[in-house]
Amino acid sequence: MGETQVKTGHPKGLWVLFGTEMWERFNFYGMRALLTLFLVNSLLMKEEEASLIYGGFLGLCYLTPMLGGFVADRFLGNRNCILLGGLTMAIGQLLLFTSGSVFGTNLSLATTIMYCGLGAIVFGNGFFKPNISSMVGSLYPKQEKTKLDTAFTIFYMGINIGAFLGQSICPLLGDVVDTGGVRDIHAFKWGFLAASVAMLLGTILFYVLKNKYVVSPEGRPLGGLPSKNVAEDFEEGEAQKANFSTKALIGAGIAFVILGLFFHYVLGQNLIYTLIYSSGLALAGLIISDSSLTKIERDRIFVIYIVSFFIIFFWAAFEQAGSSLTFIANNQTDRHFFGWQMPPSMVQIFNGLFVVVLAVPFSVLWDYLRAKSKEPISPVKLAIGLVMITVSFFMIATQVSYIGTSGLLLVKWLILLYFLNTCAELCLSPIGLSLVGKLSPKRFASLLFGVFFLSNASGYALGGTLGSILPPTGDKYKAAEKVNVDLASILENKTVANGAELFALAKLQIAKIDKEKSKEFKLDVEKKIENIAEIKSQKELAAKTNVKFVNNFTAKDTTFTVKELDIIKEKKIVTVSYPEFAGFIIHNLYEFFMVFVVLTGIAALVLFALTPFLKKMMHGVR
């Protein structure tokens, strides 16, 4: 077969994948904008708990692509996995809509449905994400592979148009706050419903157009069943099938168990974070043990692993957008934007907006530098991205140092942070996707995209852990003051809180509740707080529907005796303290943001230092 003629433009299939991914990102980012606020306001979780769930959920979303990549490469193919993943995510969003509909009458059921919904989205994302990304690279003939950085930047613009739309529409529908500052906690469900509809639209778009446009340069359908792959689908001299030995498979299983025990018992990670870290590392080791790999292929895969490690620190900082930065926007930010009070979940919109605006200029920049033979290699671009996010977090750390616990952060500083983070993202995320596409052997393409997304998974998990160390923001001090509790004095150990004060802080979601001790002494603090919230929700519902409110709870269901309050204090069932990280106490927002400055700054410096070695290991790929 003769060489495919070099074309000047991009194949039409890129725009089909662009549109499909756009609607999927609408679904994902729209839900992400609302998730932590829904957990805290409707399902009555503490911000710390919501951050951990958020990080674990996002981490699992980027761990399951390894499963989806494996299933696609071996059994179903890219196309079928994309359709299966899209439908599963739409169902997950409908479950979140259901959770947002029933929490007022049955909080436990709503929480269970919420977890089921997140689980469906996790698995759907796993089948969808690696397969649509790997198909982008397959649209281009060998002589046009240099276009991949530009192609992935265009593809990434589609991602962020969807993110922009999702972060606009879902908060407008779901994050409703009246002029008095009172949030309608029953409105979140409409945002989740909009996300479900968007995912269905994306799935239908792909189903209708895939056969006509998502084709190889020779015109053959891409992403079909693996059993129907032909020799032209592989690079010359490349093995067409992975060859994992029994010894390698057993070794990976043993490594998974040992790593799991280490992360869970030595490092104290929860089960979800343990699964993310240990399974990802074990699978990465399994791939590199494949006996069919040549030295060049193995070197290139090691480059993917190395850059993936450093990307972890980028995503740990970047994904504070949906947790700590959203809580700060909600609790301690003046959100007036040209006279309009923005919903806190909508502040994230600027990331998607800036990507849409800047994606083409960045693409043109790389093309210009390539034409001048001055384009930096991909690892250098990634290191530049890490430097930029370091600068953005240092900027916000400086600003919050001026406001203390009583002032408000001007929303313009969060907008500037999202601008700098977007510039960093455009140097890192699409370039990383392109690098994996260029370095991956065909037989491992989807699986190595899955491994690359493991860096996202680990970054989100680390981000969830770091988000949970957010110290009390100004609203917490004001809320405590309203119930006659001096929170600052208690945190600084100047005074000791009594049982009544501790219970009051627990109701405000400021104090920590030891569930084991609560069970041991038969003082279910969480249940009483749930009962109080249910009474409030039922009152609001009765007022809306003009129905007489009937309180079915007794005083015993919502309060403790003096003796019980003394036990809560003496046995430390409820405690209040500053968060800690790596042995350091985080007293304020400045110290919190400096954690990210240090982590990303060190990662940037080390990656820059490794660049000459990575260039050699890439064997000519830039």
Side-chain angles (χ1 to χ4, degrees), residues 430-469:
I431 304 306
L433 289 170
S434 172
L435 184 65
V436 176
K438 290 184 285 190
L439 295 178
S440 297
K442 174 68 179 179
R443 62 193 181 281
F444 285 126
S446 292
L447 197 56
L448 278 169
F449 269 106
V451 172
F452 177 75
F453 289 134
L454 170 66
S455 64
N456 297 44
S458 301
Y460 296 155
L462 178 59
T465 299
L466 295 176
S468 71
I469 64 170

Side-chain angles (χ1 to χ4, degrees), residues 154-360:
I154 293 171
F155 181 68
Y156 209 67
M157 185 169 66
I159 290 175
N160 284 276
I161 289 175
F164 172 76
L165 292 173
Q167 290 169 339
S168 303
I169 295 172
C170 291
L172 284 175
L173 295 174
D175 189 9
V176 179
V177 181
D178 64 22
T179 54
V182 178
R183 174 176 277 113
D184 181 359
I185 60 174
H186 297 276
F188 289 110
K189 60 186 177 183
W190 303 117
F192 297 137
L193 182 62
S196 180
V197 171
M199 189 64 257
L200 286 173
L201 285 174
T203 305
I204 292 169
L205 172 72
F206 181 76
Y207 178 77
V208 171
L209 299 178
K210 60 183 171 54
N211 291 331
K212 185 175 182 180
Y213 297 114
V214 185
V215 295
S216 70
E218 296 79 22
R220 288 180 290 102
L222 287 175
L225 296 174
S227 58
K228 296 184 179 180
N229 283 340
V230 296
E232 286 82 358
D233 291 329
F234 301 88
E235 297 291 336
E236 184 177 348
E238 180 186 349
Q240 298 185 18
K241 187 175 180 181
N243 185 19
F244 296 128
S245 67
T246 302
K247 183 178 179 181
L249 290 170
I250 294 173
I254 293 172
F256 170 76
V257 173
I258 294 174
L259 287 166
L261 293 172
F262 173 75
F263 283 116
H264 187 58
Y265 291 105
V266 178
L267 299 183
Q269 298 296 307
N270 64 36
L271 291 177
I272 291 178
Y273 287 18
T274 295
L275 175 65
I276 291 169
Y277 296 136
S278 58
S279 61
L281 289 172
L283 184 56
L286 177 64
I287 292 172
I288 209 68
S289 71
D290 185 274
S291 58
S292 68
L293 288 173
T294 64
K295 182 185 183 303
I296 290 177
E297 288 176 331
R298 187 171 276 109
D299 283 350
R300 288 174 173 172
I301 289 174
F302 270 125
V303 172
I304 293 173
Y305 290 174
I306 292 168
V307 298
S308 294
F309 171 75
F310 289 101
I311 285 174
I312 288 173
F313 301 100
F314 173 85
W315 290 117
F318 186 88
E319 277 303 330
Q320 295 306 304
S323 57
S324 64
L325 290 173
T326 294
F327 292 138
I328 291 169
N330 186 48
N331 301 330
Q332 202 169 348
T333 299
D334 179 355
R335 300 189 305 278
H336 283 92
F337 185 68
F338 291 103
W340 175 54
Q341 177 85 338
M342 294 184 69
S345 58
M346 203 174 184
V347 178
Q348 301 174 48
I349 195 176
F350 291 100
N351 172 235
L353 176 62
F354 288 138
V355 171
V356 172
V357 172
L358 295 174
V360 172

Side-chain angles (χ1 to χ4, degrees), residues 18 83 107 133 184 414 488 603:
F18 174 105
L83 294 172
L107 186 60
S133 298
D184 181 359
L414 287 178

Side-chain angles (χ1 to χ4, degrees), residues 514 517 521 566-575:
D514 190 320
K517 288 184 179 180
F521 293 99
D566 287 340
I567 294 174
I568 286 174
K569 173 190 172 184
E570 297 300 327
K571 301 301 180 181
K572 296 184 178 180
I573 296 173
V574 177
T575 56

Side-chain angles (χ1 to χ4, degrees), residues 99-136:
S99 176
S101 302
V102 305
F103 74 88
T105 55
N106 194 327
L107 186 60
S108 297
L109 176 62
T111 302
T112 301
I113 294 173
M114 178 273 295
Y115 281 120
C116 292
L118 293 184
I121 295 170
V122 162
F123 279 99
N125 185 81
F127 282 102
F128 186 97
K129 195 161 187 66
N131 292 295
I132 198 164
S133 298
S134 66
M135 290 180 79
V136 174

